[in-house]
Amino acid sequence: MEIKQTVVIVDLSGRCNQLIARSVRNLNVYCQLVGDNANIADIKKVNPIGIILTGESDGEKAIETEVKALGVPVLDVRNIDVESKQGAKTLKTFLYKTCKAKGEWTMKAFTEHMIEELKEKIGDKKVLCALSGGVDSAVCAALIHKANKECLTCVFVDHGLMRKGEPEQVVEVFRNKLGMNLIHVDASERFLTKLDGVSDPEKKRKIIGEEFIRVFEEEAKKIGAVDFLVQGTIYPDIIESGIGSKGLVKSHHNVGGLPDVIDFNEILEPVKDLFKDEVRKVGLEVGLPLEQVNRQPFPGPGLGVRCIGNITRERLAILKDADFIMREEIAKAGWDTKIWQYFAVITDMKSVGVRNEVRSYEYTVALRAIHSIDAMTAQFVHIPFEILEKISRRITDEVTGVNRVVYDITSKPPATIEWE
């Protein structure tokens, strides 16, 4: 998409950079983040209408002196609180009064331009997309489907570690409702066999990741050579790959390893310039169902890292049922749109209880619900006790093998969002 007006945000410390960027974009102005080691020539090429300095610095850095000499309006927000009313007003005034922004950055405009861009780029060439069921890959697939549905093949590898009802939902939405060419590979038995007896979380992640690549490779070989491979990279992935002297946070290619084993010419990353909330808005623009667009963040290894210890079919079934009950009751109470992420975990701990007036020795299920903006930090949610009580009662009554439910009230840090 051709961007006519751009604001450059120079990040001097790696703190609050995404918050500032999202604030700018929410005001319908496109922005790009660069680090304190950015090349001033590259900034000039963007031809920015304004520059924002954010973060913290010990004394003035060279990049600050250089950008101030460009003759472009500069706003230093290092001492300004922008989610405050006065800070938000200052930012808006800078963008629209000082920089003369036109407010052209909308997801409707992005969607229309991206579909046209994809039409031109793809032509009649073959496109392969690994569809996980998550928001990013779903929106990428939908954009390409809009551009040229005849060229797109989606492969959905079902590793058996998705939440209850999700594999069926993926097939229903993408194949039956949207009419995509979707190959559904039920590889659940294969994954569970590989995971049998494995309790170490890092080994689980490695096995699941490697097996996914093997399954996808096998399906791709059946399809043959393709021109484009689709990846659901989003802008925070690129930011966290390191935009400044702070360096790498994490590798951004979310289908790691695939480019080495699939016969393709080029990678397509249709939403690489978008934040997650922007991706969701594009999803609605291309006609994805609301429940798909609002799908919670979900780890790549799926329930494999929410089943603490050894993964067995019995324990996985318990976890799926408990998690389904939690999601159902949260939705019934109207809290599903108030919580960023919520899920159940089956621990490897059993405790004494009473069931049908007989002593029982069964599993403990933990519930987790958090608020977050960028997953770098998170706060546990104060869910009303009456909702938690209903969830607990239903799980212990309806799910065989569970006699105790606990609620995790730990924020990140010191904890992480997931348990493994």
Side-chain angles (χ1 to χ4, degrees):
M1 176 182 175
E2 181 185 358
I3 308 296
K4 295 180 180 178
Q5 290 191 322
T6 299
V7 168
V8 171
I9 300 174
V10 180
D11 175 30
L12 299 172
S13 73
R15 295 185 62 188
C16 302
N17 52 16
Q18 291 192 40
L19 176 61
I20 302 296
R22 281 197 303 274
S23 297
V24 172
R25 296 222 185 154
N26 285 340
L27 290 168
N28 300 123
V29 179
Y30 180 72
C31 63
Q32 289 182 355
L33 272 163
V34 299
D36 54 10
N37 60 351
N39 188 321
I40 197 68
D42 291 334
I43 295 177
K44 282 184 180 179
K45 287 179 185 177
V46 175
N47 193 26
I49 62 171
I51 294 173
I52 296 175
L53 299 177
T54 183
E56 298 174 357
S57 63
D58 299 323
E60 189 167 277
K61 295 188 177 181
I63 188 68
E64 296 179 60
T65 305
E66 291 176 322
V67 297
K68 288 175 181 176
L70 286 177
V72 175
V74 176
L75 175 66
D76 191 334
V77 299
R78 284 174 287 184
N79 295 313
I80 298 175
D81 180 6
V82 296
E83 292 195 320
S84 71
K85 288 184 178 180
Q86 185 57 44
K89 183 179 179 181
T90 300
L91 183 61
K92 187 173 183 178
T93 299
F94 173 73
L95 295 173
Y96 283 91
K97 299 292 185 182
T98 308
C99 301
K100 309 300 182 186
K102 297 178 182 178
E104 298 172 323
W105 179 252
T106 68
M107 290 306 97
K108 180 177 175 59
F110 171 88
T111 303
E112 292 172 352
H113 282 284
M114 181 53 67
I115 290 172
E116 290 304 312
E117 189 176 302
L118 288 168
K119 279 182 182 178
E120 184 177 341
K121 188 174 187 68
I122 294 169
D124 59 356
K125 296 175 181 177
K126 295 173 68 175
V127 183
L128 179 62
C129 176
L131 189 64
S132 67
V135 178
D136 304 331
S137 65
V139 171
C140 286
L143 282 168
I144 294 167
H145 183 70
K146 287 280 187 181
N148 192 332
K149 62 182 179 182
E150 302 300 326
C151 295
L152 175 65
T153 299
C154 293
V155 176
F156 168 44
V157 177
D158 179 4
H159 48 31
L161 300 169
M162 295 181 75
R163 290 170 289 199
K164 187 174 182 178
E166 284 190 326
E168 295 82 0
Q169 183 188 41
V170 170
V171 174
E172 175 62 23
V173 169
F174 295 97
R175 180 190 288 166
N176 301 341
K177 288 187 177 179
L178 300 181
M180 289 189 189
N181 179 20
L182 176 68
I183 299 172
H184 176 202
V185 185
D186 184 355
S188 54
E189 286 299 317
R190 176 172 172 171
F191 277 84
L192 291 177
T193 298
K194 287 279 186 179
L195 290 166
D196 186 36
V198 179
S199 59
D200 180 80
E202 286 308 307
K203 288 183 179 178
K204 288 181 190 177
R205 290 177 181 274
K206 186 175 181 180
I207 289 170
I208 294 167
E210 289 180 351
E211 200 62 21
F212 177 87
I213 293 172
R214 298 287 81 80
V215 175
F216 190 83
E217 178 185 18
E218 291 168 13
E219 293 302 317
K221 283 181 179 178
K222 296 176 186 176
I223 297 168
V226 297
D227 298 284
F228 299 102
L229 178 68
V230 183
Q231 287 194 175
T233 308
I234 62 175
Y235 200 46
D237 296 327
I238 297 173
I239 294 171
E240 290 171 0
S241 290
I243 62 165
S245 59
K246 300 301 177 184
L248 177 71
V249 176
K250 67 178 181 181
S251 177
H252 86 265
H253 280 299
N254 55 5
V255 196
L258 288 179
D260 297 327
V261 297
I262 305 299
D263 187 5
F264 74 102
N265 296 324
E266 189 177 343
I267 289 178
L268 286 180
E269 297 174 299
V271 296
K272 66 181 175 64
D273 292 321
L274 305 184
F275 286 101
K276 178 71 81 173
D277 58 330
E278 294 174 317
V279 176
R280 295 186 194 280
K281 291 174 184 175
V282 171
L284 294 176
E285 291 288 342
V286 294
L288 289 177
L290 187 62
E291 62 270 20
Q292 180 66 47
V293 170
N294 288 336
R295 185 181 188 261
Q296 294 182 53
F298 194 58
L303 298 180
V305 291
R306 295 179 182 172
C307 187
I308 309 302
N310 189 27
I311 301 174
T312 66
R313 288 162 180 78
E314 176 201 12
R315 298 182 73 234
L316 196 57
I318 290 172
L319 174 56
K320 288 183 178 183
D321 287 341
D323 184 79
F324 181 82
I325 288 171
M326 181 185 187
R327 288 188 287 135
E328 190 172 63
E329 289 300 328
I330 290 289
K332 282 182 182 178
W335 275 69
D336 52 328
T337 57
K338 301 178 183 178
I339 306 175
W340 192 72
Q341 191 174 11
Y342 52 97
F343 54 88
V345 172
I346 182 170
T347 72
D348 55 356
M349 178 182 72
K350 287 187 173 183
S351 62
V352 175
V354 178
R355 186 179 294 280
N356 298 324
E357 300 182 355
V358 177
R359 180 183 181 275
S360 66
Y361 192 59
E362 298 174 311
Y363 287 109
T364 297
V365 163
L367 307 179
R368 180 85 159 134
I370 56 101
H371 283 310
S372 182
I373 294 174
D374 53 17
M376 303 302 288
T377 61
Q379 296 76 43
F380 74 88
V381 179
H382 293 255
I383 297 177
F385 279 118
E386 56 267 26
I387 300 175
L388 290 173
E389 182 181 15
K390 187 176 287 187
I391 295 170
S392 175
R393 177 65 63 189
R394 280 196 60 192
I395 289 175
T396 53
D397 284 350
E398 300 173 26
V399 183
T400 302
V402 179
N403 65 4
R404 194 177 299 268
V405 176
V406 298
Y407 185 54
D408 184 348
I409 58 169
T410 320
S411 292
K412 175 186 179 181
T416 55
I417 293 174
E418 300 291 339
W419 275 41
E420 285 194 338

